[in-house]
Amino acid sequence: MKQKKIVSKNFYNDIKSILDKARESSYRAINFLMVEAYWNMGRLIVEEEYKGKKRARYGDFLIKELSVKLTKDFGKGFTETNIRYFRLFFLAFPIHHAVSDESGNVEKSKLQTLSVESVDSKM
C-alpha cells in the first residue's frame, strides 16, 4: 500500500521560507556584530599605539603579539595582516556612527569604499 504524502508542497515551502528568512536575518546580524567588533579592535589598537604619540616599532610588536595570542585563543583569521586591516578600518572610519545608518546597520557603500588601494596606502 502506497502512503499518501501528508506534507503538501505549499506547506513545506512556507516552513522552508520561515527558516530561510530567519537564517538570512541572523547572518546579517552576525555580520554587523563582527564588523563592529573589528572596528572596536582597531580602535583599541590605535589608542594603545598612540598613547601620546605613535611608536612604529611598538605597533609592529603589538600587532605581532596580538596575532599570536588571538590565533591561539580563537583560531584562524587573526594574521598580522588582518589585524592591520582592523586598525586601518578604524582609521578609515574613526567616528563609530560614520559606518552605521540610523538603524545601526553598516552601510555597504561606505565599506566598499575601503578598497585595497586605500588600505595599502595607509599600511
Side-chain angles (χ1 to χ4, degrees), residues 23-121:
R23 284 183 175 177
E24 185 179 317
S25 293
S26 65
Y27 293 147
R28 263 188 265 126
I30 289 168
N31 285 340
F32 173 74
L33 292 172
M34 292 311 300
V35 167
E36 189 174 47
Y38 297 149
W39 184 89
N40 278 306
M41 289 170 63
R43 178 182 56 81
L44 289 176
I45 291 165
V46 168
E47 288 173 358
E48 181 68 20
E49 282 178 335
Y50 279 79
K51 286 195 178 175
K53 60 181 178 183
K54 184 173 184 205
R55 299 169 289 184
R57 294 197 69 200
Y58 175 74
D60 289 341
F61 290 122
L62 177 71
I63 288 171
K64 181 176 241 154
E65 187 174 340
L66 266 175
S67 174
V68 170
K69 288 184 173 197
L70 290 171
T71 300
K72 181 181 176 213
D73 289 341
F74 296 98
K76 294 190 305 185
F78 297 98
T79 63
E80 290 179 44
T81 300
N82 283 350
I83 292 173
R84 279 183 174 67
Y85 284 139
F86 302 156
R87 179 184 170 280
L88 293 172
F89 181 45
F90 169 77
L91 291 173
F93 301 99
I95 302 169
H96 188 261
H97 68 273
V99 294
S100 299
D101 62 16
E102 301 79 40
S103 64
N105 293 322
V106 173
E107 293 181 32
K108 288 181 185 175
S109 63
K110 288 185 180 180
L111 289 179
Q112 290 168 347
T113 62
L114 186 60
S115 65
V116 174
E117 295 84 27
S118 67
V119 168
D120 288 341
S121 71

Side-chain angles (χ1 to χ4, degrees), residues 2-9 11-12:
K2 208 174 194 184
Q3 270 191 326
K4 184 179 177 186
K5 291 185 180 180
I6 297 173
V7 177
S8 72
K9 190 172 185 172
F11 175 75
Y12 177 77

